[in-house]
Amino acid sequence: MLVGFIFRVAPPSMSSTPKSYVIVLAILLVFSFLIRLIGWDDPYFGFHIDRRLSTLQMSISYARDGVDFLLPHPYWMMGWQQPILLELPIYQALSAWASVFTETVLSASRGVNLFFALLTLPVVFRIAAIQFCTKTATYAALFFAFAPLNLMYHSATLPDISVVFCVTLAYWALAEYLKGTQNKTIFIVFLLAGGYSVLVKPLYFLPVGVLLVTHFLQQWGYPRMKNLLNYVGRHRAVICLFVVIAFVMLLWTEIQKEVNHDSMNSLQFFTFAHLSDVMFYMRVLFRWFLLILNPFTVLFFILGVLLLFRDYRGSVQLALLYSIVAYHLMFGVLFTAHEYYLLVMVPFASVIAGRGAYWIEERIQSDFKIRFSHALSTVII
């Protein structure tokens, strides 16, 4: 239903797309999800076992004893085995409820995340189609499907995959609104997706805020105060919703402090200390070349960044890049040790890389007079 609504808002033009090309893309997407089934029944398979086992333990507890959203559970890590409330455990509750249809809670947890991963694909497609074109969106969706970090974590028992879906959904809703779409459903989607994001992983919601701020700054001129009031008046609905989401985030942070006795909350990792660490920059390079993207698509990404500054200066498309930069500046201390915190960057990096890949396709077509564009894009993919 949600996917149908997304494509009804702005249906992509696929009438001239050969069936063989669509079949190839479908086979690739299916293959990317088959890879995620490796280690399906092994709770110890994968990375960051302590965090995944702690999340799985909470889901099993919910399935056995019932759901209690404010009940802290131990985070089993060497030197730290105290009950703590890390996020509102909606994902754990969904896993527990879905376990009635599966043999184990582990299968339900992995299945829930693969479901969210599948839903994220058309959202990434629509973001790229709105801000660029359908062919760029096709590249973006395929790059997202095969991003190494996604292949590593999409079936892991972590809440992050569902949050990435909600963040991209909120980003799409805001991009649709800024494009001129006036639809009550857009506002409902934005509120629900944003609310879920800030209740589970508040820092992941940053790209949505960057998009709104970018749109405002690009239209903010003289006289400053008059333009500010005019902007607020024109976009008061979405601004009010954004304020509500921010209030929910702050309220949830206070609840966390109360439950955890001030020992931890979602926003305590906001720091710039990592910027003076040389190893931080080394890790960033390593992860962008081998985890967020791969050595080929990272070249498309670099080209996409250059095209953004050449062709989209003063446009909201630059928010894609600003989001990545702001996230690294503000929350780099978190993914210094935990690379899965970069999962939220994969959709935006894939869209930019898709723009670079489409430019390569255009140049090859014009320089070598290639007629069969879909055959060429299949080769590039």
Side-chain angles (χ1 to χ4, degrees), residues 230-243:
N230 288 339
Y231 186 88
V232 173
R234 288 197 309 273
H235 305 290
R236 57 185 177 276
V238 75
I239 291 174
C240 287
L241 290 178
F242 191 86
V243 171

Side-chain angles (χ1 to χ4, degrees), residues 110-122:
R110 293 190 188 279
V112 167
N113 271 347
L114 283 189
F115 176 72
F116 280 117
L118 181 61
L119 288 181
T120 309
L121 276 172

Side-chain angles (χ1 to χ4, degrees), residues 2 6 119-128 165 168-170 172:
L2 176 61
I6 291 173
L119 288 181
T120 309
L121 276 172
V123 182
V124 171
F125 182 96
R126 283 308 315 154
I127 291 173
F165 164 70
T168 54
L169 189 62
W172 163 79

Side-chain angles (χ1 to χ4, degrees), residues 130-179:
I130 290 170
Q131 302 204 323
F132 298 107
C133 64
T134 301
K135 185 57 74 71
T136 298
T138 303
Y139 281 119
L142 267 294
F143 294 164
F144 176 80
F146 280 95
L149 203 63
N150 287 346
L151 296 178
M152 291 164 60
Y153 284 105
H154 268 182
S155 62
T157 55
L158 294 170
D160 300 70
I161 292 82
S162 61
V163 185
V164 170
F165 164 70
C166 287
V167 168
T168 54
L169 189 62
Y171 194 98
W172 163 79
L174 183 56
E176 277 284 358
Y177 167 80
L178 296 178
K179 190 186 70 171

Side-chain angles (χ1 to χ4, degrees), residues 82-290:
Q82 57 180 329
I84 196 163
L85 189 66
L86 291 174
E87 66 271 327
L88 189 65
I90 302 175
Y91 162 72
Q92 291 88 327
L94 290 174
S95 299
W97 292 330
S99 65
V100 299
F101 304 105
T102 61
E103 295 183 359
T104 63
V105 178
L106 174 61
S107 297
S109 298
R110 293 190 188 279
V112 167
N113 271 347
L114 283 189
F115 176 72
F116 280 117
L118 181 61
L119 288 181
T120 309
L121 276 172
V123 182
V124 171
F125 182 96
R126 283 308 315 154
I127 291 173
I130 290 170
Q131 302 204 323
F132 298 107
C133 64
T134 301
K135 185 57 74 71
T136 298
T138 303
Y139 281 119
L142 267 294
F143 294 164
F144 176 80
F146 280 95
L149 203 63
N150 287 346
L151 296 178
M152 291 164 60
Y153 284 105
H154 268 182
S155 62
T157 55
L158 294 170
D160 300 70
I161 292 82
S162 61
V163 185
V164 170
F165 164 70
C166 287
V167 168
T168 54
L169 189 62
Y171 194 98
W172 163 79
L174 183 56
E176 277 284 358
Y177 167 80
L178 296 178
K179 190 186 70 171
T181 303
Q182 297 293 329
N183 191 312
K184 290 182 179 179
T185 309
I186 289 288
F187 295 124
I188 295 173
V189 169
F190 180 73
L191 179 62
L192 294 179
Y196 182 95
S197 303
V198 298
L199 287 172
V200 182
K201 294 280 185 178
L203 66 161
Y204 283 11
F205 193 65
L206 178 66
V208 182
V210 170
L211 175 59
L212 185 59
V213 171
T214 300
H215 183 262
F216 165 69
L217 291 177
Q218 288 171 348
Q219 301 187 40
W220 192 32
Y222 292 100
R224 299 290 190 184
M225 184 55 64
K226 181 179 179 180
N227 282 337
L228 172 61
L229 295 176
N230 288 339
Y231 186 88
V232 173
R234 288 197 309 273
H235 305 290
R236 57 185 177 276
V238 75
I239 291 174
C240 287
L241 290 178
F242 191 86
V243 171
V244 169
I245 293 171
F247 177 76
V248 169
M249 178 184 68
L250 295 175
L251 179 61
W252 171 242
T253 303
E254 292 303 315
I255 294 174
Q256 274 188 310
K257 290 180 181 178
E258 186 69 22
V259 174
N260 297 333
H261 306 291
D262 289 330
S263 62
M264 174 173 284
N265 66 81
S266 298
L267 299 179
Q268 73 176 51
F269 296 104
F270 175 54
T271 175
F272 297 102
H274 56 281
L275 297 179
S276 60
D277 183 8
V278 176
M279 289 305 299
F280 165 74
Y281 300 98
M282 298 298 292
R283 290 188 185 96
V284 167
L285 289 175
F286 170 80
R287 288 168 178 170
W288 274 86
F289 272 87
L290 295 176

